[in-house]
Structure formats: C-alpha cells, structure tokens
Amino acid sequence: HRVLDTYLDSGGNFIDTANVYTKGHSEKILGDHLCKHPAKRDRIVLATKWCGNMFTGDPNAGGASRKNILDSVHHSLRRLQTDYIDLLWMHFWDALTPIDETMRTLDDLVRAGKVRYIGFSDTPAWKCAQAQMLAQFHGWSPLVALQIEYSLVERTVEGDLIPMAQELGMGVTPWSPLKGGVLTGKFTRENPTGGDSTRGDWVTNALNDRVYNIIDALIKVSKEAGCTPAQAALAWLRAKPGVSSIIIGARTLKQLEDNLASVHVDLHENQIGRA
C-alpha cells in the first residue's frame, strides 16, 4: 500500500496488471486499496489483461474468443471493484481465434462502457496491423497501445514492432525495462550474481559478453549523468521514439523512489548512443 500511495503522490497515474497475475490476487489488491475511493479511481488509468487461462484444463477459460473475453472482463471488474477498465490488453496472441471475432468483441465492450481503450501485448507486428486495419475498415474501436519487452538488452522490437506502432497510432509501453534487474548495475563481470541469488534463471540466462558490454557502458554513462544505472537505463528508454509510458516493477519502496527519480534524468544524444 505504501508503494502504491507513494507512486500516486509522486504524480503517477498509470497502473498495469493482469487477470492471471497471482491468479486474480493482483487485481484484488488494487481493487481493495484503490477502487473503494472514487477520487483515487478517477485519477488512475487502470489497465489489465485477458487471454491467460485461469483454470487449467478448461479450454474456454483462456484465449481471445468472445466467450473468454466477456467472462474475463466480468471477473476483472469484480476483482478490481470498478465499473470500467481504462485500458484492456490482449495479453498475447491467440492463433486459434479469428482476429475479427476478437476485435468485434472488444468494440462491443467499449460501446457498452465497460472498457475505455484497447491494446495488444506481445503480439507480432503483422497481426497487430491486421487487427488495426479491420477496426478501421469496420469502424470499430482501434488499438491505441502496444505493450512489449523493450530495454537496452532487448531491442529486437525496433525492427518492426516500434515502426508499426508509430505508423498505426499505438503508444508503446515497454515491460521489463531493466531486464529483471540486469540493468540496475548490480550484475557485473566481477559480480555475476549481483549479491542476490533469488533472481533465478530470468537474470542469469540473460548475462553474456554482449550484455556485460552494455552494462559497462551503462555504468559509465550513469556516472557522467550523476544518476544510478537503473535511472540511466530508464532515461534511455524514455527517450526512444514511440515510447509513451514505461512499466516499472519495483518490489520495494526504495526501488520505486529510485525508478521515479529517473524522470529528472535527461541523457545527451551522445550518451544515448553509447548506452
């Protein structure tokens, strides 16, 4: 609760979750703390996702079909204790459901007032473009946002997803901007565990010579800029074309405050290029 309130008091207003995060508990935490207070709810841009299966073994409890979208939104609204979702994401692409069924259902939810805007997460550029063109042709609600992994370490999205989003009017909201802690400066060639053995394969599998070179450059740039490596990494991402907002995942109040301070860091063009 302190993390959430500190974020809001610092001017933050965009909160992102998903129905499958801790099997609905993430949404309930937010609903219990934020959505019982109309003033807080009104100033929040609240985003959640559907598509992940909440009930293993039930083929209708996941995916992008009309049935699952409507059921998922119904239960997300109940857990969040709100009448509407500001931004509803398709968590990932469902290759088994026709995209026109998905887009028509999402448009119905927007017209019903249960959802304000829609976006896609972790979906190929060609499928996003197909969906956007269908929406434009039929006069359905368009996709306004794209959530993808993007950081100094993960830049493959610059090849097609970022240009596609810019061309088709989707604001980009990167997830894992610090690559699970890899870009905090804790992990170096000399200290590959970062003093934290709990981070697991997500971090250790990302560490190689290429990444260590990036970390070395990041630490040098952060020293020049007078900030922490994490702040420099977030400032680099904030300066990239097409990025509208960055999804941070602070586990502690100290991490949150460090991340938020990155908004005061503006890297020079030379530093952006070197990082």
Side-chain angles (χ1 to χ4, degrees):
H1 292 175
R2 287 196 302 271
V3 167
L4 287 168
D5 289 338
T6 298
Y7 172 70
L8 294 174
D9 292 342
S10 300
N13 68 349
F14 175 58
I15 296 178
D16 181 77
T17 187
N19 63 337
V20 294
Y21 292 168
T22 59
K23 294 187 176 181
H25 194 210
S26 175
E27 289 182 327
K28 190 175 187 308
I29 290 172
L30 291 170
D32 287 345
H33 185 57
L34 300 175
C35 294
K36 288 182 178 179
H37 307 283
K40 282 186 178 180
R41 173 64 187 96
D42 289 344
R43 56 181 288 220
I44 296 169
V45 178
L46 185 57
T48 193
K49 310 178 191 73
W50 99 94
C51 216
N53 196 311
M54 295 283 283
F55 302 97
T56 303
D58 181 355
N60 294 311
S65 68
R66 172 175 284 269
K67 175 176 174 55
N68 186 53
I69 294 173
L70 296 178
D71 287 349
S72 295
V73 168
H74 171 76
H75 291 296
S76 287
L77 290 170
R78 174 178 54 81
R79 286 187 292 264
L80 290 167
Q81 301 175 48
T82 184
D83 296 328
Y84 67 96
I85 295 164
D86 290 292
L87 176 56
L88 181 67
W89 302 98
M90 182 171 74
H91 209 156
F92 44 83
W93 176 35
D94 172 13
L96 300 178
T97 300
I99 195 62
D100 55 340
E101 176 180 341
T102 300
M103 294 301 292
R104 174 59 192 273
T105 305
L106 293 173
D107 180 67
D108 287 345
L109 285 168
V110 173
R111 292 176 186 271
K114 295 182 178 181
V115 172
R116 296 290 190 260
Y117 299 96
I118 58 175
F120 278 5
S121 170
D122 297 339
T123 299
W126 69 270
K127 180 55 66 172
C128 294
Q130 181 189 25
Q132 194 74 315
M133 291 302 97
L134 277 170
Q136 183 176 358
F137 178 78
H138 290 288
W140 297 338
S141 300
L143 300 169
V144 302
L146 178 70
Q147 185 175 152
I148 47 178
E149 184 181 2
Y150 190 16
S151 69
L152 277 164
V153 174
E154 177 50 68
R155 299 182 61 179
T156 56
V157 296
E158 293 176 346
D160 57 358
L161 282 161
I162 296 292
M164 179 278 301
Q166 290 181 278
E167 179 68 21
L168 298 182
M170 303 177 205
V172 176
T173 58
W175 61 267
S176 195
L178 300 178
K179 193 60 177 179
V182 168
L183 297 171
T184 60
K186 294 188 300 182
F187 301 91
T188 63
R189 286 186 173 87
E190 296 74 26
N191 187 21
T193 67
D196 183 357
S197 61
T198 65
R199 299 306 288 159
D201 293 343
W202 179 259
V203 169
T204 56
N205 289 343
L207 295 172
N208 53 45
D209 284 340
R210 168 184 166 270
V211 173
Y212 282 131
N213 290 336
I214 293 172
I215 293 172
D216 291 342
L218 175 64
I219 291 174
K220 290 180 181 178
V221 167
S222 67
K223 289 179 178 178
E224 292 176 8
C227 65
T228 66
Q231 291 168 357
L234 292 171
W236 176 89
L237 188 55
R238 196 179 75 246
K240 301 305 289 183
V243 173
S244 299
S245 183
I246 298 173
I247 297 174
I248 56 177
R251 290 184 297 137
T252 67
L253 191 59
K254 182 179 179 181
Q255 288 176 346
L256 174 67
E257 291 170 342
D258 181 78
N259 286 182
L260 292 178
S262 69
V263 300
H264 303 298
V265 177
D266 291 311
L267 301 180
H268 300 308
E269 185 174 346
N270 174 265
Q271 293 171 326
I272 294 173
R274 286 161 53 203

